[in-house]
Amino acid sequence: FQNTVLVWVPCIYLWLLAPFYCLHLYCHDHGRIHISCLCAAKMVLGFLLASFGFVEFFYILLERSQDIQHHMVFLLSPIIRSMTVILALCIIQLERIRGCRSSIFLFLFWVLAVVCSLVPLRAKIQLGIASDIVRYLAFFSYFTIQLAQLFLCCFADQPPEGKPILEKNPCPVKDASFLSKILFWWFTGLVVKGYQLLIHVLIVTVYVFLLSGRQEKALVSGVALGSRLPDQAQLLRKLQKKQSSGFFLLSTLARKFGPYFLTGTLCIIFHDAFMFAIPQVLSLLLGFMRDEDAPLWKGYFYATLMFLLSCLQSLFNHQYMYTCFTVGMRVKTAVMGLVYRKSLVINSAARRTCTVGEIVNLVSADTQKLMDFVVYFNAVWLAPIEIALCLFFLWQHLGPSALAGIATVILIFPLNGFIAKKRSRLQVRIQMKFMDGRIRLMNEILNGIKILKFYAWEKAFLEQVLGYREKELKALKKSQILYSISIASFNSSSFLIAFAMFGVYVMLDDRNVLDAQKVFVSMALINILKTPLSQLPFAISTTMQAMVSLRRLGKYLCSEELKVDNVSKAPLKDVAIENGTFSWSAEGPPCLKRINIHVPRGSLVAVVGHVGSGKSSLLSAMLGETEKRSGRVTVKGSVAYVPQQAWIQNATVQDNIIFGREKLKTWYNRVLEACALLPDLDILPAGDATEIGEKGLNLSGGQKQRVSLARAVYRKADVYLLDDPLSAVDAHVGQHIFDKVIGPKGVLRDKTRILVTHGMSFLPQADLILVLVDGEITESGSYQELLSRHGAFADFIHTFASTERKESLAQEGPMLVSVWSTSCHSPETCHRSSSSGKLKTCKLVMAFGISSISLFFFFFIKLTYGLSIFNRGDTTNSNLQNMEPVSEADEEQVPEDLGKLTEVDKARTGRVKLEMYRKYFKTIGLAIIIPIVFLYAFQQGASLAYNYWLSMWADDPIVNGTQIDTNLKLTVFGALGFVQGIAIFGTTVAISVCGIIASRQLHMDLLINVLRSPMSFFECTPSGNLLNRFAKEIDAIDCMVPDGLKMMLSYVFKLMEVCIIVLMATPFAAVIILPLAFLYAFVQSFYVATSCQLRRLEAVSRSPIYTHFNETVQGASVIRAFGEQSRFILQANKRVDFNQTSYFPRFVATRWLAVNLEFVGNGVVLAAAILSVMGKNTLSPGIVGLAVSHSLQVTGILSWIVRSWTDVENNIVSVERVNEYADTAKEASWSIEGSSLPQAWPHRGTIEFQDYGLQYRKGLELALKGITLNVQERDKVGIVGRTGAGKSSLALGIFRILEAAKGKIFIDGVNIADIGLHDLRSRITIIPQDPVLFSGSLRMNLDPFDTYTDEEVWSSLELAHLKNFVSNLHCFAGSRQLVCLARALLRKTKILVLDEATAAVDLETDTLIQSTIRTQFEDCTVLTIAHRLNTIMDYTRVIVMDRGNISEMDSPANLIAQRGQFYRMCREAGLV
C-alpha cells in the first residue's frame, strides 16, 4: 500500500491533468518571467528529488536483486516518482515562460505528495533507524525536500518583464501567491500599516485590480478611464433599441461577469458539502466514545478530520463571499458609469419625467440594490436545498419526529414575516413620514436661517422640529418592541425545534431513547438549519428589490436621447435655420414655429421679445436641445453657450473659467479684464484660486454671470450663444461687458454672436435684430430698419426707452434677475398675465421642468409669482447638492487654505475615543445599564442550564431499552428554554429603550447647538453636512447603535457560555483557550482600527460622486454645448474609482479577519475533540457531545462578535460626528436673566453708532470702518453705494448677526451688546432682500409664536394688499415680498430696516410696498438700503457708503447740490 497507492496518487493527479493545464497556459500568455532565486531554488530541489528516485532504483537493483522477482513494484515506484518530478520541473519552466507567477496546480501536487508521505513517515518512525539506515536517511531527506518545495510554492514569482508598472500604489493581490489569496494574507500588510499609521496615505489604489485582469476585459461601464467610452455608447444604443424593462441590462451584466460569479457559486457548493460532513464526523466521534474497544487512532483521526473540514468550510465560504462582493462592486461601478453617461445624452422630454434627485437615487440606491442581489442571489436556490438536506439527516436520526421540527419552523417563520411586515408599515408610513417631515423642516430652517435670526424665531421652529421628533421616536419604540419579539423567537428557534422534535420522539414510544449521538448530532444539524432559514426571506426580498431597481434602471437607460442630427455641421453658413418648427417633447405643442434665420459670419444678432416668447428656446434649438419637428438647423464650427442662469461648478474661479482647457496666461488675463472680473478677484481672499461654494454661495448673481461669460469667451469658439448674460449685472458693468466683449469693438468682434437681451441700449449696435412673439419671428432687420417700419418693435422702443433708462440703470447690488425682464410688461400686461395667465404659466413651468433653456422663464415666475409649487422643492436634490463638496487643487499654490470657503466633511482618524462611548452611556444612565448586564447574564445562565440538562439526559442509563422520568426531563428542559426566551425579549426591549433615550438627548443637543451657531458658521458649513447629521447620523444613533450593542452583548455572553462548557468537559482546554483568546483580541484590535478608518474614508469619498453627479445633471446643456462630455465622464469615473479604493479594502478586511478568526475558532474545535479523545476513559459521551457541538459554533460566534463590535464602533462615529458641533463658536445668549429692559423698548427709535466697525470673519479686513452716526426718531434714512460698499453690513450690525469688531451701537440709549439677542431682534424689524417663506400655513409664516389675534393678522394682510390673495387664493407678482411686508406690519416696531429687494419685485409691487411703508411707518425710524434711487429721493437723509466708510451724508437735495458721488449715481440713473 505504501509503495503503490500512496506513491501513485500524486503521480496520477499530475500526469492526468498536466495536458489540460499546459493547454490553459498556452492560451493565456502574460509575458516571460526572468529566472529568479525562487525559480532556481525550485529547479535545484526538483533535480535533487528526481535524482533520489534514480539512486533508489539503482540501489534496489544492486542490493535487493533477489527480491525483484517478487516485488517488481519496488523497482517501478522510484522511476515513476522521478519521471513525475521531471514533469513538474517542465511545468515550472512552462509557467515561467508564460508568465504564471503562482501555481495552484503544482501547489496541490506538493500537498498531495506530502500528505501521502505522512503514512510511510509514521511507519519509518515506529520501525526506528536500525531497520535500513540508508533507506531511512534517504526517505527523511526526500520528505524534507518535498516540504521545502511545498513551502516555496506558497510564494509568488516576480512580475513578467516588459510590463512597466504604471501604478504608484498597486493592489497587493496582484503579487500574492495562491495560498496568500485564499487566506487573504496579502492584506495583512495594509492592516498592520492601518494600525500603526493613519490609513489615509496608505489606501490601496485598487482600481488597478478592479479594472485589469481576466474578468474585466469586457467591462460594461466607463470605468477603465476613457478606453471604455465607445463600449458604453454601444450598450446604451442596444438598450435603447431593445426598449427592455431591465432584463437586457441583466443579461449583459451576466455575460460580462457571469463566469467569475460561477466560480463563487462553485465555492459555496463545496462549502455546503463540508458543512454537512461535519455532523456526520461528529456522529462517528460520539460512536467512538461509546465503543470501549475502538482503537485510539480512530478518535484522533475523527478529531483531525473535523478540524480539516471546518477549515475547508471557512476557506470556501470566504472565497465565495469575496467573489460575490468583487462581482457586486464591478456591477455597481459599471451601472453607475452607464447612468452617468446616459444623463449627458437624455433629452428634455425624458429629463422632465425624472428629477435630479431621482437620477442621483438611481446611482446611490438602485446600484446598491443590484450589488446586494449579486451577494445574496445564490441563497434563493441554495437555501431550500440546504433546508431539505438538514431535514433528511434529521429524519435519519429521529425518524418521523423530524416533522415536528418542520411544524415549528412553519409556525415561527410566518410569525417573523408578519412582524417584519408590521414593522415595515410602521417604518414607512409613520416613522419615515415624521422623519421626512423633520428633515424637510430642517432643510427649510437651514435655507432660511438668516430670516429666523432676523426675526428671533429660533424657538418656535425648535418646538416644531422636536414635535416631529417625538412622534418619530414613538413610532420607533413600537417598531423596536415588535423587533424584540422577532429576535426572541429567532434566537429561541433552535431550542423550540429541539424541544418539539425530542418531545415528540420520546412521547411516541418508550423505546425511543435520546443518547448523545442522537441529541448532539441533531443539535448540530438544527444550528446549520438556522442559517438558510434566516437567509431565505432576506434573499427573496433582496431579489424582488433588485428586480424593481433593474426595471427602474432599464426604464431610465431606455429613455429618449437627444438626436445627433438635430443640428448638422454643414459648412454653408455659420448659423442657419430653415423652416424650423421645434418643441420640448415629441408630443408637446411647438415652442417655435416657422423659424427662418440666416446669420452671416461674424455678425451680432440680438433676439428680443416678452418673457416666454421663445428667445431661450431659439438658442436651445441651435444647440440641438429641443425636439426638431421639421426644417434644418446648421451650425458651423465650435459653439460656446452662456445660459441665463449661470451654472457654476464647485471649484476654483480659475477652473470654472478654463473649463478643462490649458491655461494661456495672457489670454486668460485678457478675458478676466474684458469680463470685468479683475475688481472681483481683488476682493476674493485668494484671487482666482478662491473656491466657489455650493450654489455659488460666495458670489453675487452678477459675479456668477460674469464667470459664466468668461468661461465662454476663454473657449475661443466660432459661434457664441448668449442667453441674456447682462440681466444679472449692474448697469455700468453691463455696459463695460458689452463694449469689451460682445459689441463691435469687443474681443468677440470677429465671432458670430447671438444675444438674447432685454437691454434697449445695446440694440442700435446689433447687425440684426429678431423680434419673437409667441414662438414666431414677427420682425427682423437692423435697428433703423425696424424703427422705420413703425411696427410693434418701434412702439415698444418708444414706450419703454424712457422707463428703462430711469429704472434699470439705478441697479446697484448683485441681482438675480434684472428689472428689465419685468419692466418689459406694461403694468396692465403684468396684472393681466398674473391673473388670467396664471394657470397657463404654471402649466408651462411644470411642462418645461427645469430644462436649462426655459430657466429664465421659470426663474422669473419663481421670483415674482411666489408660487407654492416651487416652495416644495426637490429636497433630495438640494440635500445631495449640499453634500460635502471637494475642491480640486490648483497649479499655482496659494498659501494655506486662503480661498477655501466650504469646509469639507473630514474623515476623522484613528479609533473612536472612549470619551464617545462614555458620552453615549452617560446619556442613558448607569441605573439602567447595570440591570441590563445582569439580565444578559441570567439569559445565558438559562441557556447553559438547558444545554447541560440535555447532556445529563443523554448520559442517562438505559434500563430495559428505556430511560426513566422522560416527562420530568422534558418539562425541565422546556421550562429552562422558555425562561431564556423571555430573558432575550427583556434584554432587547431594554436596550432599545436605552437607545431611544440616548438618541432623543443627542438630537436635542445637536439641534440647539446648530440653532445657537452664528451666521458665519452656516456660511462656511455646507447645508448638506448639517442635513447629513440630522438624517443619516441621527438615524444611525436611533437604530444601528442599539442593534449593534444587542448583537454584540448576546454573542459575547454566548461565547462565555461555550468556553464554560468546554472547560467543564476538559479543564485542560484552558491551556489552549487562553492563548487563542489573546490571539483573537490581538487580531481583532488590528482589524477594528483599520475597518473604522476605511469606513470613514469610504463615506467621505462617496459624497463627491453624488455632488459631481448632481452638478453634471444640472449643467448638462452647458457641458454638451462645450463638448466636454468625455472629460466629465472621466472625472466621474475617477471619483467612483477613488470611492471603490476605500470600499474594496473594507470588504477584504472583513474576509481577512473572518478567515484568521475562524482558524482560531477551529483551534477550539480541535482542542475540544483531541482532549475528549485523550480523556475517553473518564468522560461521558453526553459531555463530549455538548463540548464538541458547542465548540463547532465558536467560529460563527467569533465572526459575529467582531462584526457587531465593528458595527458599534463604526456607528458610534455618528455620536462623534453629531457631537462635533458642540464645540463650535456660539452666538451670545438669546435672553439675559433678570434683564431690566422696558416692555415698550424701543419707544423712540433713535440709533447711535459710535466708532462702529465689523468684520465678516476673523482675519479678513473690516467691512465697516469706524462708522459714527446719529439717527433721530422718525428719521427716514436711505443707504446707497456700489456693490460691496458695506450697505447690508450696517443692517447685520444693528441685528447683531455679526458682532462688533470695535465701537458700539445704542438704540434708545441702550447698548445693544448688553441685551439678549432675542430681546433685541424681536423689538426691531427688517424686510429682507430675499423673501423666504416656510412651508406651512400663512399664519405660521406671519406669527409662528401665535402671539397676535386673528383680527391683527387680517389687518396686517389687508394693509399689505394680501387680503385679496388669501381669500381668493389669487396669485400675483411679488406676493412673497408682500408676506414679508405683512410680517413687519404685524410686529409694528419703532425701527424698520428695509433691504430693498429689486431683484424679485416688479414695478407694481415695489410701488405698493413703498406707499404702504410711507403711510404705516410714518412715526417709525426707517433705514432703507436702496437699489433704486428714486425710492429714497424724499427721505430725510441719504448715507453714501464706500468701502466700509460713510463718504457722504446729507439730505438728497443737498447731496445733489454738492455734485459728489451721489450726484454721479443720480446722473447715471437719469434722475438729474
Side-chain angles (χ1 to χ4, degrees), residues 334-391:
V335 175
M336 271 178 153
L338 273 177
V339 173
Y340 185 82
R341 220 176 177 296
K342 182 74 181 184
S343 69
L344 286 171
V345 292
I346 188 171
N347 71 7
S348 60
R351 167 74 40 84
R352 205 171 61 230
T353 59
C354 45
T355 63
V356 182
E358 281 170 6
I359 297 173
V360 174
N361 226 354
L362 288 175
V363 172
S364 54
D366 291 306
T367 53
Q368 187 59 46
K369 298 248 172 72
L370 280 188
M371 184 170 173
D372 295 342
F373 167 70
V374 171
V375 176
Y376 293 104
F377 167 67
N378 276 327
V380 173
W381 62 273
L382 256 180
I385 296 172
E386 288 171 354
I387 293 168
L389 279 171
C390 276
L391 294 172

Side-chain angles (χ1 to χ4, degrees), residues 6 109-120 143 146 150:
L6 292 182
F109 166 69
W110 293 118
V111 168
L112 270 176
V114 169
V115 169
C116 290
S117 302
L118 288 175
V119 178
F143 183 74
Q146 271 187 333
L150 178 60

Side-chain angles (χ1 to χ4, degrees), residues 1042-1239:
D1043 286 358
L1045 282 171
K1046 277 177 214 168
M1047 200 183 281
M1048 187 176 81
L1049 283 169
S1050 65
Y1051 281 112
V1052 165
F1053 279 97
K1054 181 78 183 159
L1055 184 66
M1056 284 158 71
E1057 181 197 342
V1058 171
C1059 291
I1060 291 167
I1061 286 174
V1062 173
L1063 291 172
M1064 273 166 59
T1066 53
F1068 194 65
V1071 179
I1072 293 157
I1073 286 178
L1074 279 173
L1076 286 179
F1078 282 117
L1079 179 66
Y1080 170 73
F1082 178 68
V1083 168
Q1084 201 248 4
S1085 64
F1086 267 80
Y1087 166 75
V1088 173
T1090 304
S1091 160
C1092 244
Q1093 196 55 20
L1094 284 169
R1095 180 184 176 273
R1096 288 166 174 158
L1097 281 172
E1098 198 259 333
V1100 169
S1101 66
R1102 199 184 316 123
S1103 304
I1105 298 176
Y1106 304 143
T1107 308
H1108 180 72
F1109 212 96
N1110 206 12
E1111 214 168 53
T1112 306
V1113 173
Q1114 288 176 336
S1117 55
V1118 178
I1119 295 167
R1120 282 195 292 267
F1122 283 88
E1124 288 288 322
Q1125 293 98 315
S1126 54
R1127 179 169 70 88
F1128 272 79
I1129 289 169
L1130 292 185
Q1131 265 185 25
N1133 291 340
K1134 276 182 185 161
R1135 288 176 186 213
V1136 171
D1137 285 340
F1138 183 67
N1139 174 243
Q1140 302 296 36
T1141 56
S1142 329
Y1143 179 76
F1144 176 71
R1146 223 182 105 192
F1147 79 73
V1148 174
T1150 316
R1151 304 276 72 82
W1152 171 87
L1153 171 85
V1155 164
N1156 288 299
L1157 280 196
E1158 290 191 12
F1159 276 105
V1160 172
N1162 293 334
V1164 177
V1165 175
L1166 185 64
I1170 295 259
L1171 290 169
S1172 302
V1173 173
M1174 285 164 75
K1176 184 185 175 192
N1177 301 327
T1178 54
L1179 294 173
S1180 67
I1183 199 85
V1184 169
L1186 183 65
V1188 176
S1189 67
H1190 267 70
S1191 67
L1192 285 172
Q1193 295 175 40
V1194 168
T1195 52
I1197 292 170
L1198 288 181
S1199 57
W1200 274 109
I1201 287 178
V1202 172
R1203 196 182 298 180
S1204 53
W1205 183 310
T1206 312
D1207 278 353
V1208 169
E1209 185 122 321
N1210 281 344
N1211 288 306
I1212 213 88
V1213 171
S1214 295
V1215 177
E1216 183 180 52
R1217 284 162 72 88
V1218 161
N1219 212 36
E1220 265 173 24
Y1221 297 129
D1223 309 324
T1224 52
K1226 299 288 175 282
E1227 285 187 312
S1229 58
W1230 284 342
S1231 54
I1232 292 172
E1233 287 297 319
S1235 163
S1236 58
L1237 200 65
Q1239 193 62 41

Side-chain angles (χ1 to χ4, degrees), residues 350 597 1185 1402:
I597 309 172
D1402 57 15

Side-chain angles (χ1 to χ4, degrees), residues 101 156-157 167 170-177 181 186 208-209 212-213:
R101 298 174 61 188
D157 214 334
E167 308 85 53
C171 181
V173 75
K174 296 180 81 178
D175 298 322
S177 65
K181 278 178 187 168
W186 57 269
V208 177
F209 162 70
S212 60

Side-chain angles (χ1 to χ4, degrees), residues 835-855:
S835 50
S836 59
K838 178 185 68 167
L839 287 170
K840 188 174 155 193
T841 312
C842 293
K843 280 179 191 161
L844 268 166
V845 174
M846 287 171 152
F848 280 20
I850 307 188
S851 60
S852 54
I853 327 322
S854 59
L855 259 170

Side-chain angles (χ1 to χ4, degrees), residues 725-747:
L726 306 176
S727 63
V729 298
D730 294 359
H732 61 284
V733 179
Q735 195 59 53
H736 169 94
I737 290 175
F738 187 81
D739 295 341
K740 296 283 183 140
V741 181
I742 304 166
K745 292 180 182 165
V747 287

